[in-house]
Amino acid sequence: MTTLLDGYREHIVATHKQPLFLLLVGFIVSFVFIRFSVRMIRAQVRWWPGNVTPGGLHIHHMVFGLGFLLVGGIGVFATYGGHPWIDVFGLVFGIGCGLVLDEFALILHLDDVYWSEQGRKSVDAVIFGILFTALLLVGYVPLGVVPGEETRWGLITVISVNSLASVITLLKGKVWTGLLGIMVPGLSWIGAVRLARPSSPWARWRYADRPRRRARALRRERLLHRRADRARTWLFDLIAGAPDKVSANHPAAHRVAERMSARATAHLDAHAARALARRQARLADRRTAAAAAATSGGSGTHPGPAGGPAHGGSGGAPARTGRAQQSRRTVRAGRSRTHAVRPTGLERRPERHPHLRTRTRRMRR
């Protein structure tokens, strides 16, 4: 016990970090307390007081957190940061941070998603806030610059490279590796070198024209990241409680269904547009082939036995021009392969059976 007190005086009090330490303590204690409270309310325990609902209005604990933030912030400026007020207001400010960030998902979505999958963003925000505060508490002054001492350029370089690696890791979709890499140099460097997750911004920017790398990222996502996600989900369920399963008549389910319906409609519209472009390209190919055949016939070439133009004479150039135009239209229409099209108007088509459908059925959405 004496060793702990001596270490506290040496590393916290003597370095003027006691207000930041109390802020971190208030942050963690308020988050643990409020999570315990809401889980007791959710379990409908009789001996635990329920929600604060004056007049039937449910007041979220985020409102109390804003009050603590205002008292702590304004109090520091009002007392000019003097002792012991700065320690008291640091603790009050930390309590407000824990209460507000615990409902970060509600602020982000402007909806009561506390016990849904979107509510997990609150846990991410709280853990990030705790890690950042702990980094400031146990680390050096930013960039290692201390007034009156020589600048440590080596330390500045390491911190700068580590910060860049952490940003790249976060862009690659590895949130926890990037956040932990802020405090543990070298961890984010590994995440910055390895493949990005398929749904990350880095994959959308860098893997669009690299199908092999994207395929490797998908395989790694299926094999490795799903296990890590299951472990993270288990840990979050242990800390914050498992989210509710959304029922079919829940408003959030209706919003998800509407988004899926809009995406399906857009896909069908794009499919119909591509089909129309292919149809128009085929018609244009037939007209071009017919015009090329007529031009070659008028320039002295004789039709072959199948009714098409024979090789020779000056009809080769128009035919090549027609094939080039056909290829360009095929590419524009989005077809992956070309089909041989006979010139129309030069031969009779075989008679169709009267019971066979001669026209294709129009697509209906």
Side-chain angles (χ1 to χ4, degrees):
M1 193 66 176
T2 306
T3 305
L4 291 177
L5 291 177
D6 292 340
Y8 180 80
R9 295 191 188 97
E10 180 181 355
H11 297 288
I12 302 297
V13 179
T15 56
H16 306 286
K17 293 181 178 180
Q18 183 167 328
L20 186 61
F21 175 77
L22 293 176
L23 188 150
L24 180 61
V25 170
F27 197 158
I28 297 175
V29 170
S30 63
F31 172 70
V32 173
F33 171 77
I34 201 62
R35 276 292 170 173
F36 176 79
S37 174
V38 295
R39 293 186 72 171
M40 292 296 102
I41 295 173
R42 188 187 189 190
Q44 297 181 356
V45 178
R46 295 181 179 180
W47 52 269
W48 189 260
N51 294 314
V52 181
T53 55
L57 176 63
H58 178 204
I59 299 180
H60 293 269
H61 50 269
M62 170 182 57
V63 178
F64 300 100
L66 291 175
F68 278 105
L69 289 177
L70 289 174
V71 171
I74 296 174
V76 171
F77 289 102
T79 57
Y80 300 100
H83 288 282
W85 296 108
I86 189 171
D87 299 333
V88 175
F89 290 127
L91 180 63
V92 172
F93 195 86
I95 295 173
C97 290
L99 295 177
V100 170
L101 288 183
D102 185 61
E103 292 193 334
F104 172 77
L106 279 72
I107 303 173
L108 180 63
H109 294 279
L110 293 179
D111 195 4
D112 193 359
V113 293
Y114 193 86
W115 291 115
S116 65
E117 288 291 338
Q118 293 84 356
R120 295 295 177 88
K121 296 183 178 67
S122 299
V123 184
D124 293 333
V126 169
I127 295 179
F128 176 76
I130 292 175
L131 289 177
F132 184 74
T133 308
L135 173 65
L136 295 177
L137 182 64
V138 303
Y140 294 92
V141 178
L143 297 181
V145 179
V146 179
E149 294 185 4
E150 185 180 356
T151 303
R152 304 175 183 178
W153 294 107
L155 184 60
I156 292 175
T157 304
V158 172
I159 294 178
S160 301
V161 173
N162 188 67
S163 301
L164 179 61
S166 299
V167 172
I168 294 176
T169 305
L170 292 174
L171 290 176
K172 286 190 173 183
K174 304 172 183 181
V175 180
W176 290 108
T177 304
L179 294 179
L180 293 177
I182 296 175
M183 297 185 63
V184 184
L187 185 62
S188 59
W189 301 359
I190 300 175
V193 173
R194 292 172 64 85
L195 285 173
R197 304 191 70 170
S199 59
S200 63
W202 187 275
R204 292 195 296 269
W205 299 337
R206 305 284 295 177
Y207 297 169
D209 53 349
R210 297 180 179 179
R212 292 184 179 178
R213 184 162 295 185
R214 184 171 183 83
R216 287 175 54 200
L218 289 171
R219 287 197 299 269
R220 180 168 295 178
E221 180 75 16
R222 288 194 296 267
L223 296 176
L224 180 61
H225 290 294
R226 285 187 179 180
R227 300 175 184 174
D229 290 341
R230 284 197 294 267
R232 184 173 66 91
T233 302
W234 175 84
L235 179 62
F236 279 17
D237 291 345
L238 181 64
I239 296 175
D244 292 331
K245 294 182 179 180
V246 180
S247 59
N249 57 355
H250 195 272
H254 288 292
R255 288 194 295 270
V256 173
E258 289 175 359
R259 287 196 296 268
M260 294 178 64
S261 176
R263 292 177 183 176
T265 303
H267 176 73
L268 290 176
D269 292 341
H271 181 74
R274 287 195 296 269
L276 179 60
R278 294 191 189 101
R279 224 175 288 123
Q280 292 176 351
R282 282 195 290 268
L283 292 176
D285 294 343
R286 291 173 183 174
R287 295 193 190 98
T288 303
T295 304
S296 61
S299 60
T301 56
H302 301 284
H311 296 284
S314 60
R320 286 193 297 272
T321 304
R323 285 195 295 271
Q325 294 177 356
Q326 177 183 355
S327 301
R328 287 195 294 270
R329 292 193 185 96
T330 301
V331 172
R332 285 198 297 268
R335 290 184 291 178
S336 59
R337 55 191 299 182
T338 58
H339 302 275
V341 180
R342 293 183 178 180
T344 57
L346 300 180
E347 62 175 357
R348 294 187 59 185
R349 295 183 178 180
E351 296 293 336
R352 296 181 181 271
H353 195 275
H355 296 290
L356 293 177
R357 189 180 299 275
T358 58
R359 293 183 181 179
T360 58
R361 183 175 297 177
R362 299 181 64 183
M363 295 179 60
R364 294 182 180 178
R365 295 193 299 271

